[in-house]
């Protein structure tokens, strides 16, 4: 049998040698000869094109005008067969089945002995597809058999290993769909079961490692911990922004806007860096490798913002992204910036294809900052890798995402599913523009800070009867929305100015008495605000940066109060957003954290209240004011703390510890040896007992203040009423029986459930519930049936995101 195999190979070789000159002759044949030959053929036949996937695409070639390239196509096809035959001839002795197939192929080749040029070409045209398929089959089977002989004594059977229950199903899927994405071929999949098992055990992790494979190289890393051979480097503060400006790039008006902002605030960032450096006292800071992917500015997401930069469109997101980039650069981290999906793929090392295959090896970044558009793009192009690496991601989320909306299964079952949530992240991985809900991390942005000389000049040059309206788009001025009344009152007392965008004529929605300056560059808007006494909002847009800039330039900000509060239940703007938050005014942060005399919130539908507010504003003197957390130093301090202390990749140890005897005690038991809480003097809050062991945590347990809310009250509100902030990171320390005992709660039943209002208790039913899923720890959750256990904390003056000992 071995002799027959060798003879088959020799026959193939002889045929190929004989055919090479003919191939060269065909390529060189002239046009008229070609026409003659095609006329003689007088029919149609199939051919394959070199460059297509071999033996998978059929092209119908007709006689006549299209015939010029026919012989070239045949020649190209023969070239493919030649290469396949070369590979086949190099294989070692094959099986009996392969020998028989080689003999059959040899016999088929013999049928193509010279009979006449036209007849030979016609025969080739009729049989080449079948030959090609059979050669391909022989080649694949022989290579598969060779792989098996190299590493094992049997065929590549699909393992039935209880540790890998998904393996058989994944192999079946690969058999049917492996050609659906080119990335599988990139990793060596060729349609054989052996290649499926190699891929599923070494690239993905659904099948066990194959014993006959060479495992001398380190396996793919599939843990959450980023492993790197490089040594850690210390981050050094930067004051020069030139390299950052180069990284941002050009080509879009949105990028030009961001770079102008960076240049304008460069000196303030430099001063802030020096202050924070002194405050940290040369404390070691690790330099992180950070990817910033601005998804909403990519062409793939539509980039609706860039064309509107010069037409009064929203700039809040671009302001925030510019400041995030600057903060990360100034803090000394190693940045890569992506503004397209192609750049994203290149930076992450995504294999070519449609995103079905995961990344191999460790993630090349410690942190990835992106937005919801970027998350969708990463899901599409990272495949399974997104789930594995999502602990490194930080999502810049303007309005916030509450835990009930973030937990995919829970949101689907309980009616919280929206178009934006359901990513199953730790809720603190979402980073907001304002401190809407402490479930998320407050990222923020900066406003320009004035020195004492500038403040004095502004107060001397204020025009007492000058008001600037917050509204760059003409649609915000539509009088049919009920604005005529309060605008007339305002006009009675003050000169009204606008900065409304228009192209060829005055926007018809703007009243004739309004002095409209058109859309102003930032420095001209600053000049206007420094003269004005009042900055007045119409109720939209919600929570933008402009009110803070106006207050920082010495304006009083007047805004409408909402009755009832706006939310996803009653207002179209919030419908579909992953939050149940109720917005009581146009700018809740300004109302709650700044307040009078800089901010006045009144009912615009009450003409007497509005009239009184205008007269009070005209008689009130205020200095320019900027909250510390919106200064460059405040933002640097906050971002530094997040980068150094927030770690969502290291699994948190269970608490109380599994071996703790306290975990087995009922509430009626005497004092347990586990963690204890004690009542603060003159307070209803509990704190961590100083003699109890305090596990490592950030924020530290010394900042914890445990409260019980009222029925129907969220922990956000319960903590605020105690002048504290709800801290979701501390829920795991109060989600236990010891905390219930410390609050003297009487429980007949204690159960652990998946519920976004737990831990909580019902006084009426004497039932207590503990949280079963940490992703649902929620400061925002509330229920009229339960009083909640609320882990509150203290906070730094002017920096609500950080506790007193958090820096």
């Amino acid at each position: 049998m071995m002799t027959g195999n060798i003879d088959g190979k020799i026959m193939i070789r002889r045929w190929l040698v004989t055919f090479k000159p003919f191939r060269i002759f065909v390529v060189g044949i002239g046009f008229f000869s070609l026409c003659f030959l095609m006329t003689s053929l007088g029919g149609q036949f199939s051919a394959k094109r070199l460059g297509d996937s071999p033996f998978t695409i059929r092209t119908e070639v007709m006689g006549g005008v299209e015939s010029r390239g026919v012989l070239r196509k045949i020649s190209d096809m023969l070239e493919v067969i030649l290469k396949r035959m070369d590979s086949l001839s190099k294989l070692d002795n094959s099986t009996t089945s392969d020998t028989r197939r080689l003999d059959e192929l040899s016999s088929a080749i013999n049928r193509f002995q010279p009979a006449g040029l036209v007849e030979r070409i016609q025969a080739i045209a009729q049989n080449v597809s079948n030959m090609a398929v059979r050669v391909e089959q022989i080649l694949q089977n022989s290579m598969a058999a060779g792989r098996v002989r190299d590493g094992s004594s049997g065929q590549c059977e699909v393992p039935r290993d209880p540790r890998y229950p998904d393996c058989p199903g994944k192999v079946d899927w690969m058999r049917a769909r492996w050609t659906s994405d080119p990335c599988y071929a990139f990793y060596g999949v060729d349609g054989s079961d052996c290649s499926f098992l190699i891929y599923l055990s070494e690239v993905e992790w659904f099948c066990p490692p194959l014993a006959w494979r060479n495992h001398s190289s380190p396996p793919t890393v599939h843990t959450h911990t980023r492993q790197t051979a490089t040594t850690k480097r210390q981050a050094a503060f930067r004051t020069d922004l030139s390299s950052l400006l180069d990284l941002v790039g050009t080509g879009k008006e949105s990028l030009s806007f961001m770079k102008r902002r960076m240049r304008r605030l460069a000196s303030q960032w430099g001063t802030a860096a020096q202050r924070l450096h002194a405050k940290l006292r040369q404390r070691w800071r690790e330099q992180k490798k950070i990817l910033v992917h601005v998804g909403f500015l990519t062409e793939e997401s539509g980039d609706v913002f860039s064309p509107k930069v010069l037409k009064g469109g929203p700039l809040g997101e671009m302001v925030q992204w510019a400041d995030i980039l600057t903060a990360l650069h100034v803090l000394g981290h190693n940045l890569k910036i992506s503004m397209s999906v192609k750049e994203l793929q290149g930076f992450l090392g995504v294999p070519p294809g449609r995103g079905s295959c995961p990344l191999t090896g460790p993630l090349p970044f410690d942190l990835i900052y992106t937005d919801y558009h970027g998350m969708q793009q990463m899901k599409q192009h990272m495949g399974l890798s997104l789930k594995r690496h999502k602990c490194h991601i930080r999502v810049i989320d303007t309005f916030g995402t509450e835990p009930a909306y973030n937990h995919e299964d829970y949101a689907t079952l309980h009616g919280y599913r929206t178009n934006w949530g359901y990513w199953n992240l730790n809720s603190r991985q979402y980073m907001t523009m304002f401190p809407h809900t402490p479930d998320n991390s407050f990222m923020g942005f900066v406003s320009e800070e004035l020195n004492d000389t500038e403040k004095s000049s502004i107060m001397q040059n204020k025009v007492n009867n000058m008001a600037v309206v917050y509204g760059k788009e003409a649609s915000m001025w539509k009088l049919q929305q009920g604005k005529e009344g309060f605008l007339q009152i305002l006009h009675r007392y003050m000169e009204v100015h606008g900065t409304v965008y228009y192209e060829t004529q005055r926007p018809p929605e703007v009243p004739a008495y309004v002095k409209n300056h058109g859309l102003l560059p930032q420095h001209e808007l600053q000049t206007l605000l420094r003269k004005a006494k009042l900055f007045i909002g119409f109720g939209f847009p919600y929570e933008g940066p402009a009110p803070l800039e106006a207050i920082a330039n010495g304006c009083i900000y007047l805004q409408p109060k909402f009755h009832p509060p706006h939310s996803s239940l009653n207002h179209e703007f919030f419908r579909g957003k992953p939050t149940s938050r109720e917005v009581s005014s146009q700018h809740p942060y300004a109302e709650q954290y700044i307040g009078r005399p800089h901010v006045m919130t009144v009912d615009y539908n009450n003409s007497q209240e509005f009239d009184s507010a205008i007269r009070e504003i005209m008689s009130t003197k205020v200095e320019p004011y900027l909250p510390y957390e919106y200064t460059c130093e405040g933002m640097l301090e906050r971002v530094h703390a997040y980068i150094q202390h927030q770690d969502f990749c290291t699994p948190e140890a269970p608490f109380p510890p599994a071996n703790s005897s306290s975990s087995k005690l009922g509430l009626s038991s005497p004092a347990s040896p586990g963690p204890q809480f004690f009542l603060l003097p003159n307070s209803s809050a509990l704190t961590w007992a100083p003699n109890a062991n305090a596990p490592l945590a950030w924020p530290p347990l010394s900042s914890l203040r445990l409260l019980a809310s009222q029925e129907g009250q969220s922990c956000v509100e319960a903590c605020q009423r105690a002048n504290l902030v709800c801290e979701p990171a501390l829920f795991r320390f109060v989600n236990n029986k010891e905390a219930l005992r410390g609050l003297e709660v009487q429980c007949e039943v204690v159960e652990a459930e998946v519920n976004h209002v737990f831990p909580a208790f019902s006084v009426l039913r004497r039932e207590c519930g503990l949280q079963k899923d940490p992703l649902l720890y929620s400061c925002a959750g509330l229920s009229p049936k339960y009083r909640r256990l609320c882990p509150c904390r203290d906070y730094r003056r002017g920096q609500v995101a950080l506790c007193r000992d958090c820096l």
Side-chain angles (χ1 to χ4, degrees):
M1 190 61 63
M2 185 177 296
T3 304
N5 190 13
I6 295 174
D7 291 341
K9 289 184 179 181
I10 294 173
M11 179 71 71
I12 293 170
R13 270 290 172 196
R14 287 176 179 172
W15 180 80
L16 290 172
V17 171
T18 302
F19 226 64
K20 274 189 176 181
F22 171 70
R23 179 175 59 83
I24 297 171
F25 166 76
V26 169
V27 171
I29 203 164
F31 174 70
F32 292 105
S33 301
L34 178 66
C35 292
F36 170 76
L37 286 173
M38 293 311 303
T39 304
S40 300
L41 288 172
Q44 68 182 40
F45 56 88
S46 297
K48 301 276 187 299
R49 295 172 298 186
L50 190 65
D52 289 326
S53 180
F55 316 119
T56 58
I57 299 176
R58 303 181 65 88
T59 303
E60 298 298 326
V61 182
M62 305 296 296
V65 178
E66 296 178 347
S67 63
R68 185 168 188 169
V70 171
L71 294 182
R72 179 177 293 277
K73 291 181 179 180
I74 293 175
S75 175
D76 291 343
M77 181 176 48
L78 295 174
E79 181 70 32
V80 174
I81 295 175
L82 176 65
K83 292 178 180 178
R84 294 289 181 176
M85 294 293 189
D86 285 338
S87 299
L88 187 59
S89 66
K90 296 174 184 177
L91 292 175
D92 292 334
N93 292 332
S94 187
T95 62
T96 302
S97 171
D98 292 338
T99 302
R100 179 175 54 80
R101 290 172 182 169
L102 283 172
D103 291 337
E104 291 174 356
L105 179 60
S106 172
S107 176
I109 291 172
N110 285 331
R111 291 200 297 269
F112 294 98
Q113 296 306 313
L117 181 60
V118 174
E119 288 77 6
R120 287 176 64 182
I121 296 175
Q122 194 170 19
I124 293 170
Q126 291 172 349
N127 292 280
V128 70
S129 294
N130 292 335
M131 285 176 54
V133 171
R134 294 181 70 177
V135 169
E136 182 74 5
Q137 290 174 346
I138 294 171
L139 180 63
Q140 288 188 359
N141 292 338
S142 299
M143 292 176 67
R147 282 192 297 268
V148 173
R149 287 195 306 275
D150 289 341
S152 70
S153 59
Q155 297 293 325
C156 288
E157 296 183 358
V158 179
R160 304 287 175 175
D161 189 330
R163 296 171 300 171
Y164 299 88
D166 297 324
C167 185
K170 290 293 181 180
V171 171
D172 289 339
W173 188 96
M174 292 289 286
R175 287 168 178 160
R177 299 290 305 278
W178 76 272
T179 58
S180 63
D181 194 321
C183 71
Y184 296 116
F186 174 80
Y187 282 121
V189 175
D190 60 13
S192 65
D193 281 1
C194 287
S195 69
F196 297 154
L197 292 171
I198 292 170
Y199 175 84
L200 291 171
S201 62
E202 297 179 17
V203 179
E204 296 185 13
W205 47 94
F206 294 105
C207 294
L210 302 175
W212 52 270
R213 289 285 292 173
N214 180 10
H215 296 291
S216 59
S217 58
T220 301
V221 178
H222 298 303
T223 63
H224 289 302
T225 305
R226 182 178 179 272
Q227 297 179 5
T228 176
T230 58
T231 57
K232 293 182 179 181
R233 298 181 59 183
Q234 184 171 5
F237 285 100
R238 300 188 185 104
T239 56
D240 183 2
L241 301 187
S242 57
S243 61
L244 173 63
L245 295 171
D246 292 337
L247 277 176
V248 172
T250 58
K252 294 182 179 182
E253 186 54 44
S254 54
L255 302 182
S256 299
F257 171 85
M258 293 165 68
K259 290 168 77 170
R260 287 194 295 269
R261 178 176 178 82
M262 291 172 179
R263 291 189 188 98
R264 190 175 67 253
L265 297 174
S267 63
Q268 296 198 16
W269 283 110
T271 302
Q274 294 171 358
R275 291 175 180 170
L276 183 57
H277 178 66
K279 188 183 298 184
L280 295 177
R281 300 175 183 175
Q282 298 184 342
R283 190 183 309 165
W284 167 269
R285 296 184 304 113
E286 181 185 350
Q287 185 187 62
K288 303 288 187 178
K289 293 181 179 180
I290 299 176
L291 173 63
V292 180
H293 177 62
V294 190
F296 80 99
L297 290 182
T298 62
E299 297 298 334
E300 291 82 0
S301 70
D303 188 15
V304 297
F305 286 85
S306 293
K308 295 183 178 181
V309 170
L310 299 178
K311 297 183 179 181
L315 300 177
E317 287 87 349
M318 277 173 272
V319 165
Q320 187 180 32
W321 276 107
D323 295 346
I324 291 170
L325 286 168
T326 310
L328 295 173
H329 173 82
V330 170
L331 286 169
H333 298 293
N334 186 353
L335 287 187
K336 298 290 184 184
I337 302 174
S338 166
M339 299 283 183
S340 72
V341 169
K342 185 177 180 180
E343 289 177 318
L344 174 68
Q345 290 176 306
F347 285 137
L348 292 176
V350 174
R354 302 185 180 92
S356 302
C357 300
L359 306 178
T360 57
L363 190 73
F365 298 98
D366 299 293
L367 293 169
I368 300 175
Y369 289 84
T370 189
D371 52 23
Y372 268 129
H373 294 281
M375 286 291 291
Q376 291 285 1
Q377 292 163 357
M378 291 168 70
K379 178 182 180 181
Q380 180 180 357
H381 294 278
M382 289 179 67
L384 295 170
S385 301
L386 180 63
K387 182 177 181 180
R388 191 190 338 150
H389 297 306
K390 67 181 181 180
C391 63
H392 299 278
I393 296 173
R394 306 292 182 267
V395 181
I396 307 304
D397 175 14
T398 303
F399 291 97
T401 299
E402 294 174 8
Y405 295 82
N406 167 66
H407 192 295
E408 184 175 14
D409 292 340
Y410 188 82
T412 303
L413 287 172
H414 297 275
Y416 294 102
R417 182 72 180 247
T418 69
N419 291 332
W420 299 106
Y422 65 82
W423 288 105
N424 292 320
L425 302 175
N426 187 301
S427 63
R428 287 169 287 152
Q429 290 177 253
Y430 299 101
M431 313 193 92
T432 58
M433 183 172 281
F434 292 94
H436 308 302
T437 167
D439 286 317
N440 306 146
S441 298
F442 162 43
M443 171 60 78
F445 58 94
V446 305
S447 287
E448 193 165 349
E449 194 173 4
L450 306 178
N451 58 38
D452 292 339
T453 302
E454 290 170 323
K455 289 179 181 179
S456 178
S457 174
I458 286 174
M459 295 184 66
Q460 292 175 4
N461 295 303
K462 280 290 179 185
V463 179
N464 208 44
N465 65 339
M466 179 178 173
V468 175
V469 176
Y470 181 17
K472 299 177 294 181
E473 294 187 27
S475 60
M476 299 177 187
W477 291 73
K478 289 182 179 178
L479 299 181
Q480 61 266 35
Q481 295 176 352
K483 299 183 176 70
E484 304 99 323
F486 69 80
L487 277 176
Q488 287 290 346
I489 296 174
L490 178 64
H491 175 53
R492 190 187 311 158
Y493 292 101
M494 307 184 84
E495 185 179 276
V496 184
H497 292 250
T499 58
V500 188
Y501 167 78
Y502 62 96
E503 290 182 348
T504 57
Q505 59 184 8
R506 183 184 186 86
E509 295 87 353
V510 179
Y513 55 79
V514 175
K515 183 178 180 180
N516 186 30
H517 300 262
L519 197 63
L520 296 178
Q522 187 66 24
H523 67 280
E524 293 184 27
L525 177 61
Q526 294 273 53
T527 301
L528 187 66
L529 292 175
R530 291 181 181 189
K531 290 176 61 179
K533 182 66 176 288
L534 171 65
F535 188 65
I536 178 171
F538 279 167
F540 188 85
Y542 298 98
E543 302 174 303
L548 264 66
E549 295 174 351
I551 296 167
N553 282 286
C555 294
I556 294 175
Y557 173 54
L558 179 65
Q559 65 172 343
K561 183 183 296 182
F562 297 147
H563 293 297
H566 292 180
S567 70
S568 59
L569 299 178
N570 61 12
H571 203 276
E572 187 62 32
F573 179 82
F574 290 103
R575 194 160 291 125
K577 291 184 169 56
T579 174
S580 299
R581 187 166 60 100
E582 295 184 336
V583 178
S584 59
S585 61
Q586 182 176 355
H587 208 292
Y589 175 86
E591 177 186 10
Q592 178 183 346
Y593 289 95
I594 300 178
R596 288 176 177 265
H598 301 280
V599 179
M600 296 181 65
T601 306
V602 300
D603 183 0
Y604 280 21
N605 294 319
N606 186 325
S607 56
Q608 184 175 355
E609 183 179 351
F610 186 87
D611 185 288
S612 176
I614 298 298
R615 286 187 280 109
E616 181 182 347
I617 288 168
M618 295 183 68
S619 62
T620 302
K621 282 192 174 184
V622 295
E623 292 186 4
Y625 173 73
L626 179 63
Y628 173 75
E629 56 200 357
Y630 283 97
T631 64
C632 292
E633 183 181 353
M635 184 169 184
L636 284 179
E637 182 180 276
R638 188 166 60 249
V639 176
H640 154 74
Y642 290 151
I643 290 175
Q644 298 302 318
H645 297 292
Q646 282 188 338
D647 180 6
F648 304 111
C649 294
T650 303
E652 292 180 334
F655 189 88
N659 59 357
S660 171
S661 59
S662 64
S663 62
K664 303 173 184 176
L665 296 174
L667 289 180
S668 59
S669 303
S672 72
Q676 298 178 359
F677 300 90
F678 77 96
L679 189 66
L680 286 169
N682 303 317
S683 173
S684 59
L686 302 178
T687 189
W688 195 262
N691 59 347
N693 293 329
L696 289 177
W698 192 86
L701 279 170
S702 59
S703 66
L704 173 64
R705 303 291 183 267
L706 175 60
L707 292 172
S709 75
Q710 299 302 313
E711 285 89 351
Q713 186 183 51
S714 70
C715 287
V716 175
E717 185 181 356
C719 295
Q720 282 178 350
R721 293 202 172 185
N723 198 29
L724 298 167
V725 175
C726 180
E727 179 48 66
L730 299 179
F731 263 114
R732 71 188 188 100
F733 298 107
V734 304
N735 185 46
N736 50 57
K737 297 175 182 179
E738 286 75 18
L740 290 167
R741 184 186 300 108
L743 291 170
E744 299 181 351
V745 177
Q746 301 298 316
C747 298
E748 294 181 359
V749 177
V750 181
E751 293 184 352
E753 294 184 18
V754 177
N755 189 320
H756 75 288
V757 301
F758 284 0
F761 61 92
S762 168
V763 176
L764 182 63
R765 297 191 299 272
R766 303 184 70 159
E767 295 176 352
C768 297
L770 301 179
Q771 182 57 255
K772 194 173 182 179
D773 191 332
L775 284 183
L776 285 172
Y777 285 141
S778 173
C779 291
L782 57 87
S783 168
K785 300 178 182 179
Y786 289 100
R787 297 183 64 184
R788 302 203 53 207
L789 272 64
C790 300
C792 309
R793 63 162 170 81
D794 55 34
Y795 59 91
R796 296 168 64 86
R797 180 178 177 84
Q799 185 72 286
V800 69
L802 303 180
C803 70
R804 292 170 189 164
D805 298 324
C806 277
L807 190 59

